[in-house]
Amino acid sequence: MINKSLKQLGAMLQGKEISSVELTQEFLNRIDRLNPEINAFITLDKDRTLSQARRADEMLSAGKGTALTGLPIGQKDIFVAKGWRTTCGSKMLETFIGPYDADIIERFDAAGAVNLGKTNMDEFAMGSSNETSYFGKVQNPWDRNRVPGGSSGGSAAAVAARLCAAATGTDTGGSIRQPASLCGLSGLKPTYGLASRFGMIAFASSLDQSGPMAKSCEDMALMMNVITGFDKRDSTSLNREKEDYTRALNKPLAGLKVGLPKEYFAEGLGPEVAKVVQEAIVEYKKLGAQIVDISLPNTQLSIPVYYVLAPAEASSNLSRYDGVRYGHRAKEYGDLMDMYCKSRAEGFGAEVKRRILIGTYVLSAGYYDAYYLKAQQIRRLIAQDFENAFKQCDIIMGPTAPSTAFKTGEKADDPVAMYLQDIYTIAVNLAGLPGMSIPAGFAPSEDGKRLPVGLQIIGNYFDEARMLNVGHAYQQVTDWHTQMPEGIE
Ligand code: GLN
């Protein structure tokens, strides 16, 4: 049961083989048993969760069920949910209770899905290993001594350990795709603007986007149908006609032009990852794809550009946590300025402070042109690289991350090594494009563990239905996505 897809579980609910209350209870029991170590969920509210399950059962009995009715979903703790503690992985919001629902929470609610609980994450979504959460690190279910990736590491570990059938994530520079890759899942970051950012705690607003993390592309398509859609409360939300993301799942791939960027297979890519990705490409050739060599010449600039722009936006977004309106306030202080300083010094962790300092610096008078403006110009060039590439191919493929899951603590003291985890994912956010990671196989670790490897699939703007088709076709002829870590039975 625990390894079934959303699609299969949905069919069982519709066919009354199981009730939502029973299904939800089964996952809650697993959370009780496995979460104390894995630490994927940081807030549970069983009464609330079970009352949603009862409501779902009523919807199903009344014949009012949707594809997701009754299915328990883990929600990244970056989404404000009414009545739920919402922390964004920070001490700053340790006791903050959501006064309203984020758009995405409302949408799942309207579909009759069940909120199983809030998942752990790097503090304010800054990180690639889930080691910066105030609520402790998360274990990778494939090897408990390794990181699950970040920042949506709690969601990734929860799905990998089968504590839920699917979860939500957010991706500013890779935070859906990289943990999906490290935990053997499917994860999709939609085109910027497709999913509303209303009620999603802001990190870098021009890059942040929410998306599904699940076992298969088919399940992600069902979730995309819920997540996407216009929201007037988010000024960057796109007013487009609603799409059905399942519509193209079964199209044959014959003639599909797959671009392989040479920069994604150059120095820096771990040989164990390269091998698995190459094997996946061979599989795509068998499915009828045509391989095209392409170049994304500004790839190397994406990390420096991101680490100017994202901290700049973060320094501005995080100025709201001043101890006045909500969030942590220092117990003892002198005047108002002292209250601001102490509250922020106590409430934020080291990585968040580093970003605020960098962001404030690059935006300061005298440096603005040299850093911020320059970075904006290069951002445009990076987007142009993709525009040119998509004249030659339909889809771009490559690795999601340069390595498999690394050991806990291994990169914790070396921010630059940590930032390099996103070398293949960040450009996609800078360009606003959709990107996805799917499980493509395993590589052995030096200590003999099987570690998942992700294949990244990048599409043109609004081409998510095709990306899901491309991923689904592969998942019909491989079984990487159905494999479970040992020891979580
Ligand atoms: N790892 C990147 C960072 O630390 C991306 C995070 C994200 O996508 N939220 O900023």
Side-chain angles (χ1 to χ4, degrees), residues 197-220:
R197 291 182 299 103
F198 178 78
M200 170 176 147
I201 296 175
F203 163 13
S205 312
S206 77
L207 301 158
D208 298 341
Q209 193 61 194
S210 58
M213 303 179 80
K215 292 193 286 274
S216 67
C217 289
E218 190 173 38
D219 282 359
M220 294 208 296

Side-chain angles (χ1 to χ4, degrees), residues 70-358:
L71 294 167
I73 308 279
Q75 296 288 356
K76 184 174 181 179
D77 202 25
I78 198 167
F79 297 114
V80 178
K82 191 170 182 175
W84 285 83
R85 183 174 77 141
T86 303
T87 71
C88 217
S90 183
K91 178 179 180 188
M92 187 55 93
L93 294 173
E94 190 179 2
T95 57
F96 180 72
I97 306 290
Y100 61 89
D101 279 332
D103 181 75
I104 192 169
I105 300 281
E106 264 178 20
R107 286 176 188 271
F108 276 111
D109 199 48
V114 175
N115 183 348
L116 193 56
K118 307 294 287 292
T119 61
N120 206 344
M121 56 181 285
D122 278 303
E123 186 177 6
F124 285 103
M126 299 173 187
S128 300
S129 66
N130 225 299
E131 291 167 292
T132 74
S133 168
Y134 176 67
F135 302 93
K137 29 185 188 274
V138 177
Q139 294 179 340
N140 187 321
W142 293 93
D143 177 352
R144 307 290 188 91
N145 298 313
R146 290 175 191 268
V147 304
S151 64
S152 313
S155 289
V159 181
R162 308 307 193 237
L163 303 183
C164 52
T168 55
T170 61
D171 191 312
T172 304
S175 281
I176 288 177
R177 290 161 288 159
Q178 186 256 9
S181 175
L182 271 46
C183 288
L185 312 176
S186 307
L188 170 64
K189 180 205 94 74
T191 305
Y192 183 80
L194 270 190
S196 167
R197 291 182 299 103
F198 178 78
M200 170 176 147
I201 296 175
F203 163 13
S205 312
S206 77
L207 301 158
D208 298 341
Q209 193 61 194
S210 58
M213 303 179 80
K215 292 193 286 274
S216 67
C217 289
E218 190 173 38
D219 282 359
M220 294 208 296
L222 295 176
M223 291 170 81
M224 282 291 286
N225 283 351
V226 170
I227 292 172
T228 57
F230 177 61
D231 177 11
K232 65 176 186 319
R233 299 167 297 187
D234 171 3
S235 61
T236 59
S237 169
L238 295 165
N239 198 349
R240 305 181 89 238
E241 217 171 293
K242 256 318 242 172
E243 285 186 51
D244 174 10
Y245 290 96
T246 64
R247 70 181 188 277
L249 282 176
N250 293 312
K251 274 176 82 170
L253 298 191
L256 179 83
K257 283 198 195 135
V258 174
L260 303 184
K262 66 169 191 274
E263 294 78 6
Y264 284 30
F265 295 88
E267 204 194 323
L269 177 62
E272 76 289 2
V273 174
K275 182 169 172 281
V276 169
V277 170
Q278 292 295 358
E279 284 164 6
I281 307 288
V282 170
E283 204 60 54
Y284 272 104
K285 282 191 200 158
K286 288 191 208 152
L287 288 168
Q290 231 177 292
I291 305 300
V292 191
D293 290 321
I294 59 163
S295 172
L296 298 168
N298 292 298
T299 298
Q300 287 300 331
L301 294 177
S302 60
I303 291 192
V305 164
Y306 174 88
Y307 280 98
V308 171
L309 297 179
E313 295 185 28
S315 72
S316 161
N317 273 326
L318 270 58
S319 64
R320 73 191 66 176
Y321 305 104
D322 56 8
V324 176
R325 282 155 296 182
Y326 48 78
H328 177 77
R329 182 186 295 176
K331 285 218 167 54
E332 283 166 30
Y333 49 85
D335 58 5
L336 179 66
M337 188 54 84
D338 192 43
M339 193 276 283
Y340 288 155
C341 291
K342 289 213 174 94
S343 301
R344 287 168 70 81
E346 292 169 9
F348 290 137
E351 184 60 28
V352 173
K353 286 177 186 158
R354 179 181 291 126
R355 309 272 179 122
I356 294 174
L357 287 175
I358 299 171

